[in-house]
Amino acid sequence: MILVTGATGTVGRQVVESLRSKGVPVRAGLRDIEKGGRLWPHGVEWAKLDFDQPESLAKACEGIRKVFYVSPFSPDMAEQTGHLVQQALKSGVTHIVRLSVYGADEEKPTALQRGHRDAERLIEESGLAYTFLRPNSFMENFIHHHGAAIRSQNQVFMPMGKGRVSYVAVRDIADAAAEVLTSEGHAGKSYTLTGPQALDGRDVALALSEALGRSIVFTDIPEDTARAAMSMMPRWLVDALLELQAACKVGKFAEVSESARRLAGRPATPFMNWAREHVEAWVG
């Protein structure tokens, strides 16, 4: 049985489904047990897991040998990772597959990359087998973060100029994770996961326009405007996101990797294909 943390989140939920499709028994670690029951009334075991309550890790890790570890980006990420590592060693876990971030090993990282790399180091130093998956920005962000503006204003607002990003579909990340978790030869390795092409904001808007059958416009907004739009978020998170977008703007997230294709055993999903599959997300 494999433990998947953050199992109801964007990536974790699809990793659960990818493992299920392979016939692998899964324990879904989540904060809301009732939500687990609604999502998976049959075929998935679930356990309450809250990284702010380290004692919940003991039950979640009981009898587990492999963990797919998703942690939210937060100031406590390294501390939470430390709690998981300590419990993994006590419980007999042998391999942690961690969802990290594109460019975590950069020489001059952003705060987001640096936070993930700090967590990676804790796992490396634990003596446990590990594999790091480092995906680029998710295509799903155009639903979760930009969906309202696309639905109501037919616009995508980002302070990214002509910067290109090799956006990756979460399904590809999940299938890559399932392969790493169920096959040999991945211990001690890190994989950069991207889509098959790097797109700028105008490319994204054109693809969405074609998929939706209406004109979607990309608007490059000033950083101050983006900051104001995120004013309800914690200051540290706003700073980190704007730093990340500035790095995207100058092309630091444009690399295209073949790792997703190799691990998933099929071509990485093009943005246009992904957009056509999710049209309903931007209707109404």
Side-chain angles (χ1 to χ4, degrees):
M1 180 171 288
I2 293 172
L3 171 65
V4 177
T5 77
T8 58
T10 300
V11 178
R13 183 172 175 177
Q14 291 207 40
V15 171
V16 170
E17 295 301 336
S18 291
L19 289 170
R20 289 183 73 193
S21 72
K22 287 176 170 282
V24 177
V26 178
R27 179 177 297 158
L30 36 81
R31 289 190 179 193
D32 185 347
I33 292 294
E34 291 184 1
K35 188 174 183 180
R38 292 193 300 271
L39 286 173
W40 305 293
H42 306 288
V44 174
E45 182 180 309
W46 54 86
K48 184 174 179 59
L49 198 164
D50 185 339
F51 287 106
D52 293 327
Q53 299 175 5
E55 63 275 11
S56 70
L57 285 166
K59 185 171 180 59
C61 288
E62 185 178 343
I64 294 294
R65 294 296 173 265
K66 292 186 179 182
V67 175
F68 181 73
Y69 171 40
V70 183
S71 61
F73 177 57
S74 77
D76 301 325
M77 188 160 56
E79 181 180 357
Q80 292 174 346
T81 300
H83 291 156
L84 175 65
V85 165
Q86 291 171 18
Q87 188 58 57
L89 291 168
K90 292 178 183 177
S91 299
V93 171
T94 58
H95 192 167
I96 294 178
V97 178
R98 186 180 191 280
L99 184 72
S100 186
V101 68
Y102 179 102
D105 56 348
E106 287 282 335
E107 290 185 6
K108 296 181 180 180
T110 65
L112 175 66
Q113 294 166 321
R114 185 165 54 251
H116 277 280
R117 182 61 187 139
D118 289 344
E120 287 182 354
R121 288 193 182 96
L122 287 172
I123 297 171
E124 288 173 346
E125 294 165 1
S126 71
L128 294 164
Y130 64 85
T131 308
F132 301 140
L133 301 183
R134 295 170 174 166
N136 209 335
S137 184
F138 305 159
M139 293 180 186
E140 277 72 6
N141 289 344
F142 290 98
I143 296 174
H144 302 315
H145 302 319
H146 301 285
I150 294 169
R151 285 191 297 272
S152 63
Q153 301 178 60
N154 293 320
Q155 296 237 35
V156 176
F157 299 100
M158 295 188 293
M160 285 175 46
K162 296 181 180 180
R164 293 182 175 274
V165 177
S166 50
Y167 299 103
V168 61
V170 169
R171 178 179 60 194
D172 295 351
I173 301 170
D175 286 351
E179 175 63 19
V180 169
L181 287 160
T182 58
S183 62
E184 300 299 323
H186 304 290
K189 294 185 179 180
S190 302
Y191 297 106
T192 296
L193 305 179
T194 76
Q197 58 193 148
L199 308 175
D200 65 16
R202 290 165 184 80
D203 296 327
V204 167
L206 285 171
L208 291 172
S209 297
E210 184 171 335
L212 294 172
R214 66 181 197 262
S215 178
I216 307 298
V217 177
F218 165 67
T219 300
D220 178 31
I221 58 175
E223 184 176 298
D224 288 347
T225 302
R227 183 179 293 277
M230 295 187 284
S231 60
M232 299 300 292
M233 299 167 61
R235 174 65 181 271
W236 67 266
L237 181 57
V238 174
D239 289 344
L241 291 175
L242 289 175
E243 182 187 26
L244 182 67
Q245 290 174 329
C248 291
K249 187 173 184 176
V250 297
K252 291 187 176 181
F253 284 72
E255 175 193 347
V256 172
S257 167
E258 291 294 311
S259 292
R261 177 188 62 77
R262 291 197 303 270
L263 292 171
R266 56 171 173 76
T269 305
F271 188 88
M272 174 60 76
N273 294 33
W274 174 85
R276 287 171 175 160
E277 293 171 5
H278 293 82
V279 166
E280 291 184 2
W282 302 293
V283 175

